[in-house]
Amino acid sequence: IGDIDNRQAMDTVNAIPNNSGPGQFWDFTTLITGTASPVANTYTTPSSVPEGTAHPTSTIARTDGTSPAFFKTGTSTFEMMGMTTFSVELNFTNTAVVGKWPLAFNDVNNDPVSGTLATAFGGGSFTGNVVITAPGTGTLAVPGRTFTNVLQVVTYMNINATLVLGTGTLNAITYQYYD
């Protein structure tokens, strides 16, 4: 609580290296600042965010001022309870494990998720999976700095939604690198 996570969109002139395996070299030195403004995510108490009352079992909230997400921390997991964006609100009845520790090379955590969603076009339900893997180790180079002993963590999210107007699928892949 009280931490700030600053994120900046980046563009690349080359393909982004996302190779996996031991002893990798991920070269992001050609990245340039993207055109989107930086986003500052603040971690705070759920009760300090207007939508916090909808997530009474959450222990921490992340907000950029417009799109809050709510989490529950445990001794070995970080679980998403719900989130709101400009167009959809997700409430997990079976929470999404988005962080698990300890995490080591070749670890895999497959977590089924489900819940309800609300949009301007009506409500519905969703099911899916969040899979966290640690498929790579190596060195990460970014403009002006190199990190060694890096663990690559890849998160796959697959959400299948059923709404009044039909069905839809969301697939997202996130690559993160930890030193």
Side-chain angles (χ1 to χ4, degrees):
I1 305 240
D3 288 342
I4 297 176
D5 168 12
N6 292 303
R7 296 175 186 227
Q8 172 65 56
M10 304 297 282
D11 291 326
T12 181
V13 294
N14 298 313
I16 294 180
N18 56 14
N19 43 310
S20 60
Q24 296 297 315
F25 181 72
W26 300 290
D27 185 357
F28 290 92
T29 56
T30 61
L31 289 179
I32 55 174
T33 302
T35 57
S37 298
V39 174
N41 289 304
T42 301
Y43 292 85
T44 187
T45 59
S47 62
S48 68
V49 179
E51 295 88 346
T53 57
H55 308 282
T57 60
S58 63
T59 57
I60 192 167
R62 180 188 71 212
T63 182
D64 62 4
T66 60
S67 301
F70 300 90
F71 303 92
K72 177 173 65 174
T73 58
T75 57
S76 64
T77 60
F78 191 62
E79 301 173 57
M80 181 178 282
M81 310 296 291
M83 65 180 291
T84 302
T85 68
F86 65 92
S87 62
V88 66
E89 180 178 322
L90 296 176
N91 290 298
F92 291 86
T93 53
N94 184 6
T95 61
V97 175
V98 294
K100 188 170 176 74
W101 51 87
L103 187 63
F105 177 59
N106 277 337
D107 282 356
V108 176
N109 183 67
N110 187 347
D111 183 47
V113 299
S114 60
T116 60
L117 61 101
T119 73
F121 304 105
S125 61
F126 66 89
T127 60
N129 285 314
V130 174
V131 180
I132 302 168
T133 65
T137 62
T139 301
L140 173 69
V142 295
R145 192 153 180 205
T146 299
F147 300 90
T148 59
N149 196 31
V150 172
L151 180 67
Q152 177 191 52
V153 176
V154 183
T155 304
Y156 303 90
M157 181 182 280
N158 170 263
I159 300 286
N160 300 299
T162 302
L163 298 161
V164 174
L165 298 175
T167 60
T169 300
L170 166 70
N171 291 305
I173 300 173
T174 304
Y175 290 85
Q176 296 173 308
Y177 300 85
Y178 294 93
D179 178 30

